[in-house]
Structure formats: structure tokens, C-alpha cells
Amino acid sequence: MTLPSHALESKIWRKPQSAEGGRDCGFKSRRVHMVRCKSGYDPQEDSTMLERYARQCAKGKVLDIGTGSGIQAIAAAQNSSVKSVLAADIQKEVVNYCKKNIKNRRIKFIQSDLFKKIKGKFDTIIFNPPYLPQELKLKDITIEGGKKGYEVIERFLYDVNNFLNPNGIILMVFSSLTKKEKVLEFIRDNLLEFEELEKQHIFFEDIYVCLLRKNELLKKLERRGISNARYLAKGHRGVIFTGLYKNKKIAVKSKNPQSAAVGRIENEAKWLERLNKSKIGPKLLIHDRDYFAYEYIGGDFIIDCLKKSSKGKIKKIIKDIFSQMLALDKLKIDKEEMHHPIKHVIVSKNKPYLIDFERAHYSKSPKNVTQFCQFLMGGYAMEILRGKKIAIDNGRLIQLAKVYKNNPNRANFRKIVDVACK
Ligand SMILES: C[S@@+](CC[C@H](N)C(=O)[O-])C[C@H]1O[C@@H](n2cnc3c(N)ncnc32)[C@H](O)[C@@H]1O
């Protein structure tokens, strides 16, 4: 992003250059007496906007990240519902300065790069981050959040949930120069809810103060022992998150809030539970009314796998998928979409896993095997297979698929596999 230099200068302009001795910050309404340190950040408009909410909303155990002058820590400590404040800054010099100059029994200071040296959980986490893009190579960590400006915020939001109590709040400030859409994306991806508390246009930027909370799904997942939940992908009906459960990476599927479909999640969890008994699908771990969690399958979608794998491996994978199709046909379950399974088969360590059972249903004549034949004969797959010197006789496969359709027995199935994997 190319910033107009005057825009970036606005924040620098707002940073007073003289830096000796304590001061009242120049804001008559505040009784906080600030200290100043050469490598620190003198409280600016963003500080004072955030400070008001720190004083009003902070509760319980408070963590002030990037404490700088300590303005947020001091304001939070003024709220009678605050028990203690831990104030952290990446700069040792800033921390030492605060330790020496801020004498408040409820505030402790620590040097830490974001959460690196932080232990425990907090009811309030306050952060006035460095959020300007590093366009002018000023390399000032008090104001610049990285090349794009939002990198420190991204790292903060990635970890913050592990340090926030279920009903805890985050008070954070950022600017329009940080790219609001990006910040909102990180907030959503980490299952947080966003509330804008205040917006002020100052010089060439808008400054936002926001309050973030864990969303209901995140709280539910954490109650079941799932941590590190993060957005992965979105489908028509479901949203997929990743997380950690018993030290293993898992996937969580929940309802896409934009979908009007009812009962799909419960339904899919039931199918997965049933099919796991036939060794189909990733292992179901937990299910609830509005989400289910299953083992995370790290690998490639089928097309990417076909592109990458050798002829021998492709044949093995195709055979394995066919066996799973046969098992489904025998169970009289139609998975649907196997003629276009682009995002419905993940191959991990040469083992194909069927995923997405949203549309699965019982059927007198399921079409899993024949649909998969269709996929192999379709233009996209066919081209890749030809490139790997796997030439399927389409005419013969169509004939055999028809025979199998009328008489879905093992012998007819074998013939299909033989032609497809010749
Ligand atoms: C914009 S200043 C905010 C200072 C003060 N909290 C306020 O509201 O005025 C950002 C502060 O974050 C600190 N900081 C920058 N990167 C950090 C990181 N990775 N971890 C912790 N503190 C960081 C800087 O040293 C600086 O003191």
C-alpha cells in the first residue's frame, strides 16, 4: 500500500519530539500522571481515546500489551473492579522506565514480545498496537506494525484467545491506515466478535476503538477442550475451523450463518458417525447441535494429488476410492457429488478420505461407483490421467458402469476397477 507521506506523517506529527520529565499529558479531564521515556511512545489521541474505555470497561485481571508510557495500565487500575494489571512491552528500556516511575501496587511490568512471556488468563486485554505501515522505512516499533501495518495486530489476534477468559474483553485501537477490512478479517478468523466503541477522524486517518469478545461458538469449543480455533474455509452450508484437541489438530464444522438450511450439521455428524464404522471419512470426535469436530486431514484435494503423484500411486488411490464407493453403495447410502468430488476427497499420505456428507442420504440405487466413473472420464481428470499415461477406455467404462448400475455386484465392480486402473 502506498501511503501519502502526509498521512504517515500525521501520526509522527502527533508524536511530540521533546521527551524529558513527567507531564499531565495536556488533557485536563485526566488525572493520570504520565512518565516519559526516550524510546517510548508519548500518549497521543489514540492513547487517550482508548484510555477512556480502559478506565470505564476494564475488569478483573488486566493485561496491557505494548504499555509504552503505562497510560492504559494506570487508567485500568483506576477502575475499582480491576484486581491487578500486568503491563507488558517489547522494549526493555520502556519497561524499566515504567518500573522506576510508576508506583502502583496493582500494576506490575514485564518485558515481553506480545504474549511470549505471559502466563495465565485475563478478564481484560488492552492493546494500542503499532499499526502504521512501514512505508518510509522508519523502523519505529512504537508506531509501525510491519510492512502492511497490520502484522503485529495479526499476531496479537492469533494468540489472544489463549490468554482471555471466556467472558473476557479486548480493548484495542487501530487506524484506517491499518486497513480496517484486514483487521476485521483477523478478528472474524479468530472467532471474535467486533464492536466499534468510537471512531474519530484525526488529521488524515480514522482512529477506531473497538471491543472484542469471544463468540458463542468459540466459548462452546473451549468448554469442550478445543483450543486454538481458527477459520479455515467456508462452504454453502458450513464453515470449517481448525483447532487443537488433546494435542492433535482437528477440524470443526459449524453452520454457515448465511445458510437457511436447518439441521444439516446434526445430520452430517450422524452420517460421519455411521460411516466411521465402515472406515469411511475422518474420525468424528465430538458432536453438538451446531457443530461437530473431527480429525484434521492434512493433504491435497484429489485433483492436486493426481497432478503430483506417480502413475502407480494414482492407481492405488483410485482403487481405494472405488472401494469406498462400493462400500457406500452396499450400505445404500448415496454420498452425492462424486461425479465432481474436487473438494470432497482429500488425500493424505496416499490414503484418500471422503469428506463432506452434507448431502448424503439413503437410496435404493445409490450412484457412488457410477458417479466416480463419470469423474474419471470427465475432461479435467481425464487430461491429468492421460498426462500420467493412464488411458481409460471411456466407451468400455460407460458400458461396464451401465452393467453395474443394473446389477451392482462385486464381479461387475471388479471389471470397472480393472478398466479404470489399467
Ligand atoms: C502505539 S504505542 C502504545 C503505547 C501506550 N499503550 C499508549 O496507549 O499510548 C505501542 C507500544 O507497543 C510496544 N510494542 C511494539 N511491538 C510490540 C510487541 N511485539 N510486543 C509488545 N509490545 C510491543 C511499543 O514498544 C510501544 O510501547
Side-chain angles (χ1 to χ4, degrees), residues 11 34 39-44 46-48 50-51 64-73 88-91 94 110-116 126-131 140-145 152 155 173:
K11 182 146 183 164
M34 302 306 312
S39 56
Y41 178 82
D42 291 323
Q44 303 298 300
D46 52 0
S47 315
T48 54
L50 182 63
E51 183 213 12
D64 174 27
I65 296 271
T67 197
S69 63
I71 178 170
Q72 312 304 340
D89 203 286
I90 193 167
Q91 297 190 79
V94 165
I110 182 174
Q111 189 261 327
S112 175
D113 175 3
L114 296 180
F115 299 101
K116 271 194 188 144
I126 306 168
F127 193 27
N128 177 0
Y131 53 65
D140 181 348
I141 60 162
T142 65
I143 57 171
E144 291 168 345
V152 174
R155 277 208 294 136
V173 65

Side-chain angles (χ1 to χ4, degrees), residues 157-287:
L157 291 170
Y158 192 82
D159 285 330
V160 72
N161 283 328
N162 290 331
F163 297 88
L164 188 66
N165 277 326
N167 292 318
I169 56 166
I170 300 162
L171 295 168
M172 192 176 82
V173 65
F174 63 96
S175 145
S176 48
L177 301 176
T178 323
K179 264 202 177 176
K180 190 178 182 189
E181 329 79 76
K182 232 20 202 166
V183 176
L184 293 181
E185 189 185 309
F186 301 140
I187 290 170
R188 181 205 65 175
D189 287 0
N190 289 291
L191 291 89
L192 289 161
E193 276 168 9
F194 171 85
E195 186 187 336
E196 190 173 298
L197 296 175
E198 193 178 331
K199 174 180 162 183
Q200 265 191 47
H201 187 72
I202 297 169
F203 296 101
F204 305 99
E205 58 187 318
D206 288 327
I207 305 282
Y208 304 94
V209 179
C210 64
L211 186 148
L212 313 175
R213 300 174 198 274
K214 294 186 175 189
N215 75 18
E216 286 310 312
L217 176 66
L218 178 63
K219 286 195 229 172
K220 277 186 196 176
L221 298 179
E222 288 185 348
R223 279 200 292 274
R224 296 295 295 262
I226 298 170
S227 63
N228 293 61
R230 266 167 214 124
Y231 172 85
L232 179 70
K234 194 194 257 175
H236 292 306
R237 289 167 286 261
V239 185
I240 314 288
F241 300 91
T242 57
L244 278 181
Y245 180 65
K246 298 184 177 169
N247 289 325
K248 284 206 174 126
K249 190 169 179 181
I250 59 154
V252 173
K253 189 166 187 175
S254 77
K255 187 174 179 284
N256 181 345
Q258 270 123 48
S259 163
V262 181
R264 298 280 185 153
I265 291 294
E266 262 178 311
N267 193 44
E268 190 172 355
K270 272 186 209 151
W271 281 116
L272 197 50
E273 194 171 32
R274 209 165 296 165
L275 292 169
N276 276 179
K277 289 175 189 151
S278 302
K279 296 198 166 46
I280 292 176
K283 192 171 167 210
L284 180 72
L285 301 168
I286 300 173
H287 62 102

Side-chain angles (χ1 to χ4, degrees), residues 322 369 373 397 400-401 404 412-420:
F322 265 126
V369 169
C373 289
L397 195 55
L400 291 172
Y404 173 86
N412 288 336
F413 170 75
R414 279 263 145 258
K415 287 177 192 159
I416 286 179
V417 177
D418 287 348
V419 169

